[in-house]
Amino acid sequence: GTVRFLHPLHNFALVSYDPRELNVDARKVIKPCTIVSEPPLSRGDKVVLVGLSGALRPTARDASVTNATAALSIVTAEIPRFHAVNEEVIELDQDFGTSFSGVLIDEDSSVRALWGSFSRQVAGEEREFCAGIHSYTFSSWVDKTVLYLKRLEKNSGQAQGKSIPVPVMNVEFNTLLLSKAANYGLSGEWIQRLADYDGERKQVLRVKSCVTGSNAKATLNEGDMVLAVNDKLVSSFYDIRRMIDAHCEGCNPLSFSDMEEVKDMKLTTFKDGKIQDVSFKLEVVDGLGTDRLLHWAGAQIQDSYRAVKERGFLPGNHGVYISRWHHGSPSHRYGMYALHWILEVNGRPTPNLNAFLEETAGLAHKSFVRVKLLHLDNKPKVITLRLDLRFWPTWELTLDHETGQWSREVIKSV
């Protein structure tokens, strides 16, 4: 199979494959499924969890939904990595453990949700748990991915620079009970309006953080409450998703330019102790995420990815980010470790990968290089390392958006 889409906020992947490569018996038993996203599952609904056990055996279990609106709140891990944001999950009346994954289906055998695992850090240790992901989270992206693949087939051989555009707010929300919102100054009138609008959740959305360098960072502050979007009340992550979809209605779902040119949204917020309407610009990210990696002196270098930006800080001239290093390499021996940005090489700035390649192109085997680094905690340091292009050559990994395959190109070696 080939990964065609990887959602930046919910981390589910859509994979394409050629059924003709399966054997005859497999092709006979595999049937398409129906995905039903509306209305969402609610408390008390009967479902069947169908999937594979830890021994890879097909298994089915009857269950009932106990909570279909559980808002996840996963703290940022010590090392920048994906964590689920703005997601409501489904809880069942039975605990199936963490070795069972699959789908939740209804009495008509329609897929209503995925049953997947989530990870969080507790006291420095990894804790895994499973929950249901509503089908409205992924159903529309299945349709868009099918359109994307049809376009690839029609325009085969033409360069495809990007994948599927994903409009995002670049805001992580948390939920605040209406009973507590009054303590932060929200008026009784707004509390009543939200309570009447959503009698099940009885909550308001509050800004937890914004992605560094985003439009949201310049518009919203931590603690601001978002009450309405385009004059329509919102009280859940589900509402936010619907408002974004409605706002982008009419755009070509595969066009980055269409998405980027969509007009600003109107947010009704409670900030600085009063109700304010603010203009908010959606941003668009690529549906395949990172598509370029560089290995230099035994370090894996890339542009700052989303999980790094979510930590709330980027250097002034940005720099390129070290996400890994390899034992025995010059990076290891001279102390150029992960969780650092490379800001300068021999005194010259390296704000992006192209600039970094330009500055390192003329460096010879066994030459000494002065590198200015900045840690995630904003601690700078300068090191000198000696290149070893014989055993640690410079090479690049790039993703071909048309084929979904990575290719490796050696840039400099001995």
Side-chain angles (χ1 to χ4, degrees):
T2 302
V3 176
R4 294 299 187 176
F5 180 76
L6 183 62
H7 200 284
L9 301 182
H10 305 299
N11 207 34
F12 64 83
L14 298 180
V15 180
S16 67
Y17 70 97
D18 188 350
R20 293 172 296 185
E21 296 184 4
L22 300 175
N23 60 45
V24 175
D25 293 335
R27 291 202 299 269
K28 287 180 179 178
V29 297
I30 292 178
K31 306 293 182 184
C33 63
T34 301
I35 301 175
V36 176
S37 58
E38 299 292 344
L41 288 173
S42 58
R43 182 178 301 160
D45 286 347
K46 303 292 185 181
V47 293
V48 180
L49 174 56
V50 180
L52 297 176
S53 67
L56 299 182
R57 296 183 178 226
T59 310
R61 294 285 187 272
D62 293 330
S64 296
V65 176
T66 56
N67 188 356
T69 59
L72 285 185
S73 180
I74 299 178
V75 298
T76 304
E78 295 175 1
I79 296 175
R81 67 178 190 193
F82 171 83
H83 74 288
V85 299
N86 303 345
E87 187 151 29
E88 286 185 338
V89 296
I90 300 166
E91 297 175 348
L92 302 178
D93 61 347
Q94 299 186 51
D95 183 3
F96 295 105
T98 58
S99 60
F100 193 107
S101 61
V103 296
L104 299 180
I105 64 173
D106 58 20
E107 59 184 7
D108 297 323
S109 299
S110 298
V111 175
R112 303 304 306 276
L114 294 178
W115 186 255
S117 64
F118 296 82
S119 178
R120 59 159 54 104
Q121 281 191 342
V122 180
E125 296 184 359
E126 296 299 324
R127 300 288 175 82
E128 185 179 354
F129 65 96
C130 289
I133 304 171
H134 284 279
S135 56
Y136 62 69
T137 305
F138 58 85
S139 61
S140 64
W141 296 107
V142 174
D143 297 335
K144 293 174 185 177
T145 302
V146 171
L147 287 176
Y148 173 72
L149 293 177
K150 288 181 178 178
R151 188 183 72 175
L152 284 182
E153 184 178 3
K154 181 180 179 180
N155 301 326
S156 179
Q158 298 182 17
Q160 303 291 333
K162 294 182 179 181
S163 176
I164 302 170
V166 183
V168 294
M169 291 184 69
N170 279 329
V171 181
E172 180 177 358
F173 292 104
N174 57 18
T175 57
L176 181 69
L177 290 175
L178 293 177
S179 58
K180 296 182 179 180
N183 298 333
Y184 293 90
L186 187 63
S187 67
E189 177 189 354
W190 272 100
I191 290 175
Q192 188 60 51
R193 288 180 64 182
L194 290 170
D196 293 341
Y197 168 71
D198 190 345
E200 180 181 3
R201 296 177 178 86
K202 290 185 170 63
Q203 65 188 22
V204 64
L205 295 177
R206 196 161 178 244
V207 176
K208 181 180 179 181
S209 65
C210 299
V211 174
T212 301
S214 66
N215 296 330
K217 191 75 171 179
T219 306
L220 299 173
N221 300 317
E222 294 180 13
D224 290 351
M225 300 180 195
V226 176
L227 310 174
V229 176
N230 293 337
D231 295 322
K232 295 183 179 180
L233 294 176
V234 294
S235 65
S236 65
F237 307 143
Y238 173 65
D239 289 339
I240 292 293
R241 182 197 67 84
R242 287 192 304 111
M243 293 302 168
I244 292 177
D245 288 346
H247 192 71
C248 296
E249 190 175 7
C251 295
N252 181 345
L254 302 182
S255 171
F256 276 79
S257 60
D258 275 14
M259 295 287 185
E260 290 166 350
E261 293 171 3
V262 71
K263 64 181 181 180
D264 292 1
M265 294 196 302
K266 174 186 173 184
L267 301 187
T268 302
T269 65
F270 179 72
K271 58 186 297 171
D272 301 327
K274 56 185 178 181
I275 302 296
Q276 300 183 40
D277 288 336
V278 298
S279 180
F280 189 91
K281 179 69 174 176
L282 287 175
E283 295 179 83
V284 185
V285 297
D286 193 288
L288 278 177
T290 297
D291 58 6
R292 188 182 183 194
L293 296 169
L294 181 68
H295 281 248
W296 181 76
Q300 178 176 290
I301 300 169
Q302 60 189 104
D303 288 325
S304 299
Y305 50 94
R306 184 180 183 86
V308 176
K309 297 177 181 178
E310 286 178 341
R311 299 180 70 89
F313 169 75
L314 284 176
N317 69 338
H318 202 168
V320 291
Y321 182 74
I322 304 173
S323 53
R324 272 188 81 86
W325 54 271
H326 296 273
H327 286 278
S329 67
S331 292
H332 178 204
R333 296 198 302 271
Y334 294 98
M336 193 172 76
Y337 301 132
L339 309 183
H340 286 82
W341 285 282
I342 298 178
L343 302 183
E344 296 178 2
V345 172
N346 288 335
R348 298 182 65 85
T350 54
N352 52 52
L353 287 177
N354 288 335
F356 181 85
L357 283 173
E358 289 178 8
E359 298 303 330
T360 57
L363 301 177
H365 175 53
K366 293 188 176 182
S367 62
F368 286 94
V369 187
R370 187 173 72 256
V371 182
K372 182 178 180 180
L373 305 171
L374 184 70
H375 192 267
L376 273 177
D377 295 332
N378 199 21
K379 297 177 182 177
K381 70 176 182 179
V382 178
I383 65 167
T384 299
L385 61 78
R386 193 181 191 189
L387 290 178
D388 182 351
L389 295 177
R390 182 180 303 277
F391 296 105
W392 301 97
T394 302
W395 50 275
E396 184 177 16
L397 283 176
T398 54
L399 176 65
D400 186 323
H401 286 252
E402 181 174 358
T403 64
Q405 302 297 318
W406 289 86
S407 60
R408 180 178 181 269
E409 178 188 0
V410 176
I411 296 176
K412 193 165 189 179
S413 65
V414 174

